[in-house]
């Protein structure tokens, strides 16, 4: 087994220990990793002056020196070393800067699993020498290993995943960034790899209406409604895959997120070739329909019941309501005003009186 020397830098000792433990040998590993860990970026750079590394894994937020400054300095010493960054969910803008300024090959979103870390590390090492940045929001082209992290795409054969990897785009978005605009012509479908997106409808006129037309003005004044939340493993933009047309609702990043984008004409043949894949897609669409019917039924209840149901739904998919959803967004989901939602949530968060 080939050995790869890896430098790990994070100001938190517990994090470098965790990464080092996860890179210890295990059955099925492609490489054996010789790991050196540092909590001081200056000490790590000093070591890089005398020892060559195959890969460096750096945190972004470090008090002594941020990840951009560290990796730029490291790259000046070892330009042919694979560069990975450990990034929190709130660091999407910083990650885009690191792709552009520090030429990172991969970023690993916290929290991660061992399999995710090892896959990213192997991909980064294999991609050294390839173009790092294609365009804004776009990470290096995914490999079949990256595609397999989607439970839907995991139903496809290795050969098919290898083919799809050559035409897929791997993209990262910060909160509020538009992934797909409502009524925009699109022949692409999206697989959420990490983070959460919201599916929005309304606020845009139908195609073909001239600006100033009465229906156009009325459509623009119509408030947007949040139809659904989608998270890791979910398929969005499925109309392009099954109906061969655009005109779908808007898809907007709610949290920092990674998505894989594939053209429908590249993916559609897989529905016929792989029955298990077609069944998995149909099962997920049935889940989406069931959730939509449930949401419609909720609208018949009182506002407090609707808000409790929304909070439970978000908790069930691991989404922190207080951190990521504004009162206005909850109002769009509940079919209420922001003021009414604020009053209900104030009562919900009020401590219970002593017994």
């Amino acid at each position: 087994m080939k050995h790869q020397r890896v430098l790990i830098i994070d100001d938190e000792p517990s994090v470098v220990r965790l990464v080092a433990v996860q890179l210890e040998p295990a059955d099925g590993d492609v490489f054996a990793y010789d790991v050196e860990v540092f909590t001081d970026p200056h000490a790590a750079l000093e070591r890089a002056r005398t020892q060559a590394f195959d890969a460096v894994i750096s945190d972004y937020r470090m008090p002594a020196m941020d990840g951009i400054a560290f990796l730029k300095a490291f790259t000046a010493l070892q330009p042919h070393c694979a560069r990975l960054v450990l990034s929190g969910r709130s660091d999407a803008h910083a990650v885009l800067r690191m792709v552009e300024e520090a030429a990172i090959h991969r970023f690993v979103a916290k929290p991660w699993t061992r399999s995710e870390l090892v896959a990213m590390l192997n991909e980064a090492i294999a991609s050294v020498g390839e173009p790092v940045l294609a365009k804004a929001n776009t990470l290096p082209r995914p490999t079949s290993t990256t595609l397999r992290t989607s439970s839907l795409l995991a139903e496809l054969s290795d050969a098919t995943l290898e083919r799809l990897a050559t035409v897929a785009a791997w993209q990262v978005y910060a909160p509020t960034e538009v992934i797909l605009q409502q009524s925009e012509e699109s022949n692409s479908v999206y697989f959420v790899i990490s983070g959460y997106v919201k599916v929005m409808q309304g606020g845009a006129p139908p195609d073909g209406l001239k600006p100033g037309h009465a229906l156009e003005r009325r459509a623009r004044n119509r408030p947007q409604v949040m139809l659904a939340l989608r998270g890791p493993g979910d398929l969005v933009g499925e109309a392009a895959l099954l109906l061969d047309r655009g005109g779908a609702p808007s898809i907007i990043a709610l949290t920092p997120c990674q998505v894989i984008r594939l053209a429908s004409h590249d993916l559609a043949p897989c529905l016929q070739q792989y029955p298990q894949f077609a069944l998995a897609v149909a099962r997920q669409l049935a889940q989406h329909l069931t959730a939509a019917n449930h949401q419609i039924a909720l609208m018949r209840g009182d506002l407090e019941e609707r808000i409790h149901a929304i909070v439970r739904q978000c908790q069930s998919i691991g989404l922190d309501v207080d951190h990521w959803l504004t009162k206005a967004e909850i109002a769009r989901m509940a079919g209420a005003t922001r003021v009414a939602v604020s009053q209900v949530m104030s009562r919900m968060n009020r401590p219970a009186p002593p017994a």
Side-chain angles (χ1 to χ4, degrees):
M1 183 182 295
K2 185 177 180 180
H3 284 246
Q4 301 285 353
R5 187 172 292 275
V6 181
L7 184 148
I8 305 167
I9 171 68
D10 193 301
D11 62 297
E12 296 184 29
S14 60
V15 174
V16 292
R17 286 197 297 268
L18 171 64
V19 177
V21 168
Q22 290 181 326
L23 294 184
E24 290 178 353
D27 292 341
D29 283 353
V30 176
F31 300 119
Y33 306 103
D34 300 324
V35 173
E36 294 190 33
V37 300
F38 294 86
T39 55
D40 179 356
H42 298 287
L45 290 173
E46 192 61 34
R47 176 59 171 160
R49 298 180 193 278
T50 59
Q51 174 62 59
F53 291 91
D54 297 290
V56 54
I57 303 175
S58 171
D59 189 24
Y60 169 66
R61 297 186 181 278
M62 297 183 290
M65 180 186 301
D66 71 23
I68 293 177
F70 171 78
L71 286 176
K72 289 173 76 172
F74 192 97
T75 302
L77 296 171
Q78 299 194 25
H80 302 297
C81 179
R83 297 172 291 279
L84 298 86
V85 61
L86 306 176
S87 166
R89 291 186 180 272
S90 61
D91 287 338
H93 282 303
V95 169
L96 291 176
R97 281 187 60 212
M98 296 187 81
V99 172
E100 294 173 348
E101 297 181 32
I104 64 170
H105 294 90
R106 293 291 186 272
F107 81 91
V108 185
K110 300 176 182 178
W112 63 83
T113 64
R114 182 188 188 274
S115 60
E116 291 171 340
L117 176 65
V118 170
M120 294 286 190
L121 180 56
N122 292 348
E123 290 172 5
I125 291 172
S127 67
V128 170
E130 296 179 357
V132 176
L133 180 67
K135 62 176 183 177
N137 287 83
T138 302
L139 294 171
R141 191 173 296 283
T143 66
S144 59
T145 303
T146 311
L147 298 184
R148 198 173 287 283
T149 60
S150 164
S151 58
L152 290 176
L153 295 176
E155 299 288 347
L156 304 177
S157 70
D158 290 340
T160 299
L161 288 175
E162 291 287 350
R163 178 181 62 80
L164 291 177
T166 66
V167 294
W170 185 11
Q171 297 175 310
V172 56
Y173 292 90
T176 74
E177 283 194 288
V178 176
I179 300 170
L180 179 66
Q181 185 66 51
Q182 179 181 326
S183 299
E184 177 183 335
E185 283 300 319
S186 171
N187 68 341
S188 296
V189 292
Y190 302 83
F191 295 86
V192 182
I193 301 300
S194 67
Y196 297 88
V197 304
K198 52 188 179 181
V199 182
M200 307 289 293
Q201 182 79 52
D207 293 336
L209 287 182
K210 295 180 179 180
H213 190 283
L215 292 178
E216 191 266 352
R217 290 196 302 271
R218 190 181 308 164
R220 288 198 181 280
N221 291 330
R222 189 187 311 137
Q224 280 195 317
V225 176
M226 188 186 300
L227 301 180
L229 295 172
R230 300 282 183 257
D234 277 333
L235 168 70
V236 285
E238 56 268 27
L241 176 62
L242 298 177
L243 302 179
D244 194 27
R245 62 176 175 84
S250 296
I251 305 170
I252 301 171
L254 177 63
T255 72
C257 61
Q258 297 180 60
V259 298
I260 297 292
R261 178 172 58 82
L262 279 162
S264 60
H265 60 77
D266 289 317
L267 193 61
C270 299
L271 292 171
Q272 294 181 327
Q273 188 175 358
Y274 298 97
Q276 286 301 112
F277 173 63
L279 181 61
V281 171
R283 186 180 296 116
Q284 187 169 117
L285 295 183
Q287 291 169 350
H288 291 175
L289 181 60
T290 300
N293 289 336
H294 181 62
Q295 188 168 343
I296 292 171
L298 281 176
M299 293 303 155
R300 302 191 182 100
D302 64 38
L303 180 57
E304 191 157 338
E305 289 176 352
R306 301 203 299 267
I307 293 177
H308 273 292
I310 290 167
V311 171
R312 287 195 300 270
Q313 178 197 2
C314 294
Q315 290 173 340
S316 71
I317 62 175
L319 182 64
D320 186 338
V321 177
D322 295 329
H323 187 72
W324 292 114
L325 284 178
T326 65
K327 299 294 191 300
E329 286 170 324
I330 295 174
R332 293 189 189 106
M333 296 177 72
T337 66
R338 183 182 59 80
V339 172
V341 168
S342 296
Q343 292 172 345
V344 170
M345 295 195 74
S346 294
R347 291 197 298 271
M348 290 170 55
N349 295 329
R350 192 177 299 158

